Amino acid sequence: MNMMSEAAVEAAVGAKTTAQPPIKMQGRLVNVSYGDNQALFDVDLDVRLHQVTALIGPSGCGKSTFLRCLNRMNDTIEGCRVKGSITLDGADIYDPSIDVVELRANVGMVFQKPNPFPKTIYENVAYGPRIHGLATGKAEMDEIVETSLRKAGLFEEVKDRLHTAGTGLSGGQQQRLCIARAIAVSPEVILMDEPCSALDPIATAKVEELIDELRVNYTIVIVTHSMQQAARVSQRTAMFHLGRLVEEGATDKMFTNPDDQRTQDYITGRYG
Amino acid sequence: MNAATTIVIVLCLAALGYVAGRLRANRVAGNVASSLHSRSGYYGAFVAIFTALPSLFVLAAWLIVSPMVINSQVFDSLPREIQALPDTDHALQMGKINSIAQGLEQLTPQDEARLKSGAVDMRSLLGEKGVAIAGEVEDYMPAAARKLSAMHSASGLYRTFVIILLAAVGLMWSWIQIKPRMRARNSVEAVIIAGLMLASSIAILTTVGIVLSMVSETYRFFTSVPPLEFFFGTVWDPRFAAAGAEDSAGQFGLIPLLAGTLYIAFVAMLVAVPIGLYAAIYMSEYAGQRLRSVVKPLLEVLAGIPTIVYGFFALTTVGPFLRDISAQIHGLAFGEVSSFIQAQSVLTAGLVMGIMLIPFVSSLSDDIITAVPQAMRDGSLGLGATHSETIRRVIFPAALPGIVGALLLTASRAIGETMIVVLAAGVAARLSLNPFEPMTTVTVKIVNQLTGDLEFTSPQTLVAFALGITLFVITLCLNFYALYIVRKYREAYE
């Protein structure tokens, strides 16, 4: 239902090459504090449709915090307060009229450490659709599971053991299973919090390839510690430092000719 | 010299050894600490250990073995007709000889003279000294007592000598061993490990000892009552009063007791499991940090209340309340007030026992639910699941094996519970399905059979051991199964 038609995708991809694609999510003056510690200061950041936006910066700079604000995962942390406005398609996601459960179905999330549920591969993927009632029968559910696994590039590897435990897969497969799980509820935006940090280089390459493919259908925000990864997969990059947004712009520009000295230092490995 | 003095001397030697070991370690190192393998304290400890441990070990062995050896030698020297007596009399004779030997040691030369002159007999003389002899002093006894006495003092002398020599040799030997590259630290470590192993094996050996002590009595019980009758008998009627009569054995059917035990435990679990589990889910998933820090200890206070107090509660409050309310209900329904729940009933005991078990269920389950990784919650919430969907579909299934383990542990507690049942369900051994009537449990009957002035030879008392071992086996199986499940659960995620 949230999936775009083929034509719309074409249009969106076409639009990107000419002008800036439309804004999907927008943060304005976002301030976040955990108890007495303020983690984010006045962050303004746009996430554009069908682009991969990479959030980079040294540890503790607030990039994960910002990411978790985008689907209100911070709500689950006790003592966390969010100020400012974040919109999804122009609607404030912190507005009381917004149902956080619905929001999270639209803005899916993939975590740092692969966290498949202790269920079968099939059940892991079917979990979201089942909760949201996306399938009316078994055949439809089978189709959703297969499509999601295919999109996550995992189907061929696991098609013969869909009903074995998801925790029995390798780390890279588990992470792609988590991506399939997120895709299965047809979100518009997928948030990825260092999705490759627990994976080996080969699995990382597969996931990165996957992210690039997913961009066609979804809007992706990814937090990463790897500069190469940000350069490889993202179209726009935002650099955070000490809770502030230092600089944001097209990835090509950020990595070749950044405006801010701190960005320059960070991406050339001088600190962080 | 007595054993306590010897121990003090050995410990002094060990302390000396510690100091000497340290000093020697420093000296062989030429006061360059880095040339030693271990810090000098370890060399001191090494010497102290080798001084104290072997000698204390030998001392302990000596204290156990020497009385046995002496007793058997004295016994062999007794007249043949005494040796021919049955075993129970042997113990009696040896007991007497031991007391006489004790008394003889306190006699002064004057007393000896009086005894020799025949002015006073041995029994009254020892009585004056405060040593009571059970029965007459036979002629052969003083000689045996003197022999015993002499052997004891000789043994004491040898013991002191051997122990202190051993300590000294240990000290010297280990002191000489000290060289810069000697691995004193590793040796001390090994001794520490051995000590820890000893501590844990004591716990296990005690369990084995408890079982063995029950096994022999149980065996004696089964020689008078066939096991089939015990395990499958449906009537519990041990018949105390009829002892000595024609059919004094009575009937020892386990079934009514076992049924009562399981029935009451079942009712208790029916109360404790839902309440405890929901409380645990609330505590671990919904309650805020501040509320949790207040309510959780409060809930655990329930676990600290002695079960007899729960028994009072059942006896004076819950039981009468249930009886009265059942009378009211009956009155409303049939127009005639008569209580169908008795004050002492399975229901009363089950309810109160259930309340007692709530903190066990909730505390154990709370820990298990909290142990489910946060990543599971995040994963589910991140897919747009609500909090209760997350609990129902992800957290609870992930925690389930652990929770089942916790419930089995709780169940074994319910089965072993005694005091609540005595006060709340009565002592009548009946076989019934009606929860409003009294029943009783295995533990209550064990207490019943063993209370009062009893001899430990009749099946009426020995049955308690058979009941005990049955209960032990049941709870042991439950615990084993619980541990097995908990272990399996540990592998669930990772």
Side-chain angles (χ1 to χ4, degrees), chain B residues 307-379:
Chain B
T307 56
I308 187 80
V309 177
Y310 282 104
F312 294 153
F313 178 57
L315 189 67
T316 60
T317 312
V318 179
F321 171 76
L322 287 176
R323 186 194 56 210
D324 296 347
I325 206 153
S326 75
Q328 298 294 336
I329 292 170
H330 195 270
L332 285 176
F334 304 107
E336 172 202 1
V337 177
S338 113
S339 63
F340 56 88
I341 303 181
Q342 301 187 29
Q344 282 193 328
S345 67
V346 169
L347 187 66
T348 315
L351 268 181
V352 176
M353 201 193 281
I355 294 169
M356 179 200 89
L357 295 177
I358 288 171
F360 291 98
V361 176
S362 73
S363 189
L364 286 170
S365 315
D366 183 9
D367 292 344
I368 290 158
I369 292 172
T370 314
V372 174
Q374 183 62 31
M376 294 294 132
R377 291 182 187 86
D378 285 349

Side-chain angles (χ1 to χ4, degrees), chain A:
Chain A
M1 55 194 66
N2 291 319
M3 306 260 285
M4 302 188 72
S5 69
E6 214 54 41
V9 170
E10 293 290 343
V13 174
K16 183 208 142 217
T17 50
T18 52
Q20 283 281 14
I23 290 171
K24 184 70 184 169
M25 295 191 81
Q26 184 175 56
R28 284 293 175 267
L29 293 175
V30 177
N31 283 273
V32 180
S33 47
Y34 299 109
D36 295 331
N37 294 331
Q38 188 156 4
L40 279 184
F41 300 86
D42 297 338
V43 173
D44 292 349
L45 188 66
D46 296 341
V47 174
R48 289 177 185 277
L49 190 66
H50 298 313
Q51 284 197 339
V52 177
T53 307
L55 310 182
I56 62 170
S59 291
C61 67
K63 55 193 188 306
S64 285
T65 299
F66 182 78
L67 189 79
R68 291 171 66 95
C69 285
L70 295 178
N71 70 344
R72 292 184 55 178
M73 278 304 280
N74 280 334
D75 290 12
T76 63
I77 297 172
E78 216 173 307
C80 176
R81 287 195 316 284
V82 180
K83 278 186 270 181
S85 89
I86 297 174
T87 60
L88 173 67
D89 294 328
D92 187 348
I93 63 170
Y94 280 88
D95 190 271
S97 67
I98 290 285
D99 178 13
V100 63
V101 167
E102 208 175 314
L103 169 75
R104 288 186 194 140
N106 281 330
V107 184
M109 189 154 190
V110 175
F111 296 87
Q112 183 170 355
K113 216 180 132 202
N115 59 347
F117 302 132
K119 298 173 185 284
T120 62
I121 295 170
Y122 183 94
E123 284 301 319
N124 262 286
V125 181
Y127 181 79
R130 210 161 259 172
I131 283 175
H132 299 293
L134 300 186
T136 50
K138 188 171 184 313
E140 208 173 331
M141 183 61 83
D142 287 349
E143 200 189 318
I144 292 180
V145 170
E146 186 182 331
T147 318
S148 307
L149 284 171
R150 267 193 207 289
K151 281 189 192 163
L154 191 62
F155 187 74
E156 290 304 320
E157 292 165 54
V158 300
K159 64 181 175 194
D160 298 326
R161 46 173 176 151
L162 284 178
H163 295 283
T164 60
T167 44
L169 297 174
S170 75
Q173 289 174 324
Q174 285 190 14
Q175 194 62 299
R176 279 181 285 148
L177 176 62
C178 292
I179 292 173
R181 192 174 70 182
I183 294 170
V185 288
S186 316
E188 296 163 32
V189 183
I190 301 175
L191 309 177
M192 298 186 174
D193 190 355
E194 297 181 46
C196 302
S197 66
L199 306 184
D200 67 49
I202 294 165
T204 300
K206 280 198 174 153
V207 172
E208 284 181 6
E209 209 175 296
L210 173 63
I211 292 171
D212 205 50
E213 288 164 14
L214 291 175
R215 181 167 65 86
V216 182
N217 294 313
Y218 308 95
T219 303
I220 294 172
V221 186
I222 177 171
V223 164
T224 178
H225 270 139
S226 156
M227 294 309 107
Q228 294 89 332
Q229 186 170 71
R232 280 193 298 262
V233 301
S234 73
Q235 285 71 53
R236 292 190 78 80
T237 300
M239 161 80 191
F240 284 74
H241 186 233
L242 297 177
R244 287 171 204 282
L245 180 65
V246 171
E247 186 177 357
E248 184 262 343
T251 300
D252 298 344
K253 178 176 176 297
M254 287 284 281
F255 280 86
T256 49
N257 184 23
D259 293 331
D260 197 287
Q261 185 60 37
R262 286 172 292 181
T263 312
Q264 174 80 37
D265 289 348
Y266 184 66
I267 60 181
T268 53
R270 224 160 284 167
Y271 72 86

Side-chain angles (χ1 to χ4, degrees), chain B residues 199-474:
Chain B
S200 46
S201 56
I202 282 176
I204 296 164
L205 289 178
T206 315
T207 316
V208 174
I210 290 172
V211 174
L212 288 182
S213 77
M214 290 199 294
V215 162
S216 61
E217 306 292 338
T218 308
Y219 176 75
R220 280 171 63 194
F221 170 73
F222 282 133
T223 54
S224 54
V225 175
L228 273 179
E229 228 170 77
F230 173 70
F231 286 113
F232 299 105
T234 52
V235 178
W236 175 264
D237 180 18
R239 243 179 267 186
F240 272 114
E246 192 69 358
D247 53 348
S248 66
Q251 282 174 282
F252 300 93
L254 174 69
I255 300 284
L257 304 186
L258 202 59
T261 305
L262 297 179
Y263 199 176
I264 292 174
F266 174 73
V267 175
M269 295 299 279
L270 224 50
V271 174
V273 171
I275 299 179
L277 266 186
Y278 289 142
I281 288 173
Y282 176 73
M283 284 299 173
S284 54
E285 292 294 321
Y286 290 97
Q289 195 54 53
R290 210 177 312 157
L291 184 72
R292 191 178 146 91
S293 66
V294 175
V295 177
K296 205 176 176 220
L298 274 181
L299 204 61
E300 275 159 14
V301 164
L302 266 181
I305 299 175
T307 56
I308 187 80
V309 177
Y310 282 104
F312 294 153
F313 178 57
L315 189 67
T316 60
T317 312
V318 179
F321 171 76
L322 287 176
R323 186 194 56 210
D324 296 347
I325 206 153
S326 75
Q328 298 294 336
I329 292 170
H330 195 270
L332 285 176
F334 304 107
E336 172 202 1
V337 177
S338 113
S339 63
F340 56 88
I341 303 181
Q342 301 187 29
Q344 282 193 328
S345 67
V346 169
L347 187 66
T348 315
L351 268 181
V352 176
M353 201 193 281
I355 294 169
M356 179 200 89
L357 295 177
I358 288 171
F360 291 98
V361 176
S362 73
S363 189
L364 286 170
S365 315
D366 183 9
D367 292 344
I368 290 158
I369 292 172
T370 314
V372 174
Q374 183 62 31
M376 294 294 132
R377 291 182 187 86
D378 285 349
S380 174
L381 293 173
L383 288 169
T386 64
H387 205 149
S388 81
E389 280 168 346
T390 303
I391 292 166
R392 218 169 47 237
R393 289 164 174 263
V394 175
I395 297 177
F396 197 71
L400 192 63
I403 289 174
V404 170
L407 294 186
L408 287 174
L409 285 177
T410 313
S412 68
R413 243 199 100 92
I415 288 171
E417 176 50 41
T418 315
M419 294 324 291
I420 293 177
V421 184
V422 175
L423 295 180
V427 293
R430 309 155 43 111
L431 198 53
S432 151
L433 274 179
N434 185 350
F436 304 140
E437 286 179 358
M439 266 176 112
T440 199
T441 64
V442 174
T443 50
V444 169
K445 279 301 164 196
I446 292 177
V447 175
N448 250 1
Q449 297 305 104
L450 290 182
T451 335
D453 197 6
L454 302 160
E455 47 177 345
F456 270 73
T457 48
S458 68
Q460 275 83 355
T461 44
L462 288 176
V463 70
F465 295 96
L467 289 175
I469 210 160
T470 311
L471 203 59
F472 180 85
V473 169
I474 292 173

Side-chain angles (χ1 to χ4, degrees), chain B residues 49-345:
Chain B
I49 286 168
F50 269 89
T51 309
L53 265 194
S55 51
L56 291 181
F57 192 72
V58 170
L59 178 64
W62 195 302
L63 286 175
I64 294 168
V65 173
S66 109
M68 298 201 297
V69 172
I70 293 172
N71 269 359
S72 82
Q73 289 208 357
V74 169
F75 181 75
D76 287 343
S77 74
L78 293 183
R80 189 145 304 155
E81 63 270 22
I82 303 293
Q83 290 191 34
L85 289 173
D87 279 351
T88 38
D89 286 336
H90 288 168
L92 205 65
Q93 305 298 329
M94 288 310 294
K96 260 198 231 174
I97 292 170
N98 263 309
S99 337
I100 295 170
Q102 241 172 47
L104 285 177
E105 279 164 28
Q106 298 176 23
L107 295 186
T108 59
Q110 288 90 337
D111 294 329
E112 297 271 7
R114 274 166 70 205
L115 191 63
K116 214 161 271 176
S117 68
V120 63
D121 74 355
M122 172 89 63
R123 192 176 176 192
S124 48
L125 180 66
L126 293 183
E128 281 171 33
K129 294 287 165 191
V131 179
I133 307 296
E136 285 306 314
V137 177
E138 312 280 345
D139 291 338
Y140 65 89
M141 282 183 179
R146 277 179 218 283
K147 183 176 157 96
L148 186 79
S149 197
M151 286 182 75
H152 263 302
S153 58
S155 158
L157 199 67
Y158 287 134
R159 187 183 65 207
T160 311
F161 177 71
V162 168
I163 300 301
I164 291 177
L165 186 72
L166 195 61
V169 167
L171 195 158
M172 299 287 275
W173 180 80
S174 54
W175 187 75
I176 290 167
Q177 291 295 306
I178 293 175
K179 294 175 191 74
R181 296 317 301 164
M182 200 203 85
R183 298 175 184 176
R185 198 171 161 203
N186 307 22
S187 312
V188 173
E189 186 72 23
V191 171
I192 289 172
I193 292 173
L196 297 178
M197 275 165 62
L198 186 72
S200 46
S201 56
I202 282 176
I204 296 164
L205 289 178
T206 315
T207 316
V208 174
I210 290 172
V211 174
L212 288 182
S213 77
M214 290 199 294
V215 162
S216 61
E217 306 292 338
T218 308
Y219 176 75
R220 280 171 63 194
F221 170 73
F222 282 133
T223 54
S224 54
V225 175
L228 273 179
E229 228 170 77
F230 173 70
F231 286 113
F232 299 105
T234 52
V235 178
W236 175 264
D237 180 18
R239 243 179 267 186
F240 272 114
E246 192 69 358
D247 53 348
S248 66
Q251 282 174 282
F252 300 93
L254 174 69
I255 300 284
L257 304 186
L258 202 59
T261 305
L262 297 179
Y263 199 176
I264 292 174
F266 174 73
V267 175
M269 295 299 279
L270 224 50
V271 174
V273 171
I275 299 179
L277 266 186
Y278 289 142
I281 288 173
Y282 176 73
M283 284 299 173
S284 54
E285 292 294 321
Y286 290 97
Q289 195 54 53
R290 210 177 312 157
L291 184 72
R292 191 178 146 91
S293 66
V294 175
V295 177
K296 205 176 176 220
L298 274 181
L299 204 61
E300 275 159 14
V301 164
L302 266 181
I305 299 175
T307 56
I308 187 80
V309 177
Y310 282 104
F312 294 153
F313 178 57
L315 189 67
T316 60
T317 312
V318 179
F321 171 76
L322 287 176
R323 186 194 56 210
D324 296 347
I325 206 153
S326 75
Q328 298 294 336
I329 292 170
H330 195 270
L332 285 176
F334 304 107
E336 172 202 1
V337 177
S338 113
S339 63
F340 56 88
I341 303 181
Q342 301 187 29
Q344 282 193 328
S345 67

